[in-house]
Structures are given as C-alpha cells and as structure tokens.
Amino acid sequence: MIYTVNLNSSLDYIMRVGHLRVGETNRAERDSLVAGGKGVNVAKVLRAFGLPVKAFVVTAGFVGAEIERQLSAEGMDCAFFRTSGNSRINVKLKSDAETEINGRGEGVPDETVEDIAAALTPSPDWLVLSGNAPSGTRSDVYRRLASAAGGAKVAVDAWGGQLRFALEARPFLVKPNLDELRDFFGEDIPPEEAGTYAARMRDAGAANVLVSLGGLGAVLAAADGKVYAASAPAGRLVNSTGAGDSSVAGFIAACEKGCGAADALSFAVASGSACAFAEGFPSYADVCNLQRRVSVREV
C-alpha cells in the first residue's frame, strides 16, 4: 500500500482564456473547479496506474467540504483530517502562457499532525510527503511523519526548511525542481550542472534525488551512486499543473515494478510529460507509449 499525505489541499480553479489582457476584463472560454494539492495529485496518478493508494488529506471549511465531496465521488480511498479556517483556492490561468496564483492555506496544528502520524499504521510500503505545508506548520513536520512510518520508503516533494528537515529522515526519494535546488544550495545553478548538485543533495541524506527540469527533462542522482540525465519528449504544452506530481508517481510506479534507476527515470519523465501534454492526468498506457521517446544517459 502507498500512502500520500496532503497537508495543504486545494480547489484548483482552472480558467482558459484565449488571450489574457492584463489590466482589462477577461472572460474565460472554459473553466473547472478541481480538488487538488500535490499529495492528492500523486494519489490520483498512482490510482490511474492501478496501484493501491490511500490519501491522507487535511481539509478546512466550505472549500475543504468540496474537496472531500469530489474525492469521495471519484471513489478515492481517503482519510480526511478537518481543521479550522478554510482550505485554499488556487487560480490557474491558461492562456498564451500559464499564470498561477496559489492560496496560502491554513497552518496544520500539532494535534492534527499527531493524528496523521498515528494513522500511518500498519506501516505502508511507501509514504509520499508532497507539497510544502502551509505557513504556521512546524518546519520539521515531514521528518516527524517519516519517522512515524516505520520501514516505509519515503518520497518527499518539498522545499526550503521542510526539505532540509526531511533529509534528516534519510528518505528514499526527494524531487526538487531546478529553482528548489537553487534555493537549497543558495546558488544560481545552470541546468547543465543540476546533476552535480543532485549528487550533493544525495550525500546530504536522500537515497535518490530526482531533479525535474521542465522541457529539458530531468536528472537523477541514484542510489547506485551514478547520475543519469533524461531528455524530455517533444510535445505541445497543454497543462503543466500536476506534471511534477506525475513524475513522482511515475518513479514510484517504476520502482514497484522492479525497474532500475535508468528505467525509473525515463518512466518518471514520461509520466510528467504525458501530464503536461493533456488536459488531465495520464493513463498507464499513455506513459508507456511516451517512454519510448525518452532517452537516458549516464553523466
């Protein structure tokens, strides 16, 4: 069983505008309101891949009630933890370029974190800690949850202080993007040096460090001591929301099938790309087809 934890769930209000004119009234051609958050997205993709997954989701207020309603209607296996305030709404504007305004969300109190930690039994095969916790939540929250998960393989997609504390738990996987890698080291890292810094982050405590580079693909500092680079397949960007989460799910799915580091990297890149090239999350068949167009090399 795979558990995902989403401390900062959201409703994503997605609006498509033919041409966004800043400072003027714009009318959406299409819109939708979708329950999301990084941990929720990872769970949706893993479920689409046919893997057993349960999402632990913190919700609050009327927004949280709608998140719960949507996920329950989809038939997802979820445990909800209600707090005070209101869950966030993220605005996603899809036009000539993508523009996002993400809400802050409510801080998660210690007692809720303890309730989640207590619910992580029996220990899962995987624990996915995805997305930064909202302001007001203790910075060591992911380290605490990782410690509560027993012998689970822990995957972390976070940044800043929460990533630093999570590394102390020696996770199986961390997945920063290039900006988050730069923030971690406090340096302006060029894409061609991402592999070097990924290896340094691996030495700081993670078994595998997967750095997503958008249209440039990704690099993996793997547990086998090697560093791999993967190209991204060409395609038309439709929706980047959830692409990084799909990459995390793809890496986990490949590991579950016994793939080595290079194949896990190529499946992760194919998963992220398949998400970016479509309206919704990818199917397993879509990713397998796209994986044939991903090349991996050792660097």
Side-chain angles (χ1 to χ4, degrees):
M1 175 64 79
I2 303 168
Y3 291 167
T4 74
V5 174
N6 200 129
L7 299 177
N8 203 10
S9 59
S10 66
L11 283 180
D12 291 344
Y13 187 29
I14 304 169
M15 291 182 284
R16 295 197 174 274
V17 180
H19 177 66
L20 182 65
R21 297 180 297 277
V22 178
E24 300 183 28
T25 299
N26 296 269
R27 299 189 185 280
E29 297 173 350
R30 287 179 291 150
D31 59 19
S32 58
L33 197 59
V34 181
K38 295 183 72 63
V40 167
N41 294 342
V42 172
K44 287 183 177 182
V45 178
L46 288 169
R47 183 169 178 260
F49 289 170
L51 293 172
V53 59
K54 180 173 184 176
F56 293 74
V57 186
V58 177
T59 61
F62 75 94
V63 177
E66 175 62 13
I67 292 169
E68 293 182 18
R69 187 196 69 78
Q70 286 196 20
L71 297 180
S72 297
E74 292 177 27
M76 289 187 61
D77 185 3
C78 297
F80 297 111
F81 299 81
R82 294 196 67 86
T83 61
S84 60
N86 227 339
S87 296
R88 61 186 176 143
I89 296 176
N90 298 331
V91 179
K92 315 282 188 178
L93 298 174
K94 311 295 183 180
S95 186
D96 309 296
E98 293 185 313
T99 302
E100 299 187 359
I101 304 173
N102 290 341
R104 295 180 59 190
E106 303 286 346
V108 181
D110 278 352
E111 53 267 30
T112 301
V113 175
E114 292 302 322
D115 288 344
I116 295 171
L120 300 178
T121 54
S123 295
D125 300 305
W126 288 84
L127 175 65
V128 183
L129 305 170
S130 199
N132 259 31
S135 177
T137 308
R138 282 177 46 174
S139 294
D140 65 348
V141 60
Y142 283 163
R143 182 184 65 185
R144 293 164 64 194
L145 291 174
S147 298
K153 292 180 179 177
V154 176
V156 179
D157 184 0
W159 53 94
Q162 289 168 6
L163 173 59
R164 294 180 187 279
F165 275 112
L167 285 170
E168 296 179 8
R170 307 195 70 80
F172 183 82
L173 172 70
V174 296
K175 196 218 72 65
N177 60 30
L178 184 58
D179 285 339
E180 292 157 1
L181 193 71
R182 289 166 173 163
D183 175 73
F184 184 87
F185 287 102
E187 299 182 33
D188 186 15
I189 303 167
E192 59 271 18
E193 294 184 21
T196 299
Y197 284 85
R200 286 176 57 184
M201 185 178 284
R202 178 184 60 195
D203 294 341
N208 297 276
V209 179
L210 173 64
V211 182
S212 53
L213 302 173
L216 297 177
V219 297
L220 173 68
D224 62 9
K226 299 176 181 178
V227 177
Y228 302 89
S231 63
R236 184 175 70 89
L237 176 63
V238 175
N239 176 29
S240 66
T241 301
D245 308 321
S246 297
S247 295
V248 172
F251 190 90
I252 292 171
C255 290
E256 282 293 278
K257 290 189 173 296
C259 294
D263 286 340
L265 173 59
S266 67
F267 199 79
V269 170
S271 297
S273 297
C275 178
F277 298 161
E279 290 281 358
F281 291 113
S283 70
Y284 187 76
D286 290 338
V287 176
C288 290
N289 289 333
L290 201 56
Q291 186 182 19
R292 302 187 183 100
R293 294 162 47 194
V294 178
S295 61
V296 177
R297 70 186 191 282
E298 187 179 340
V299 296

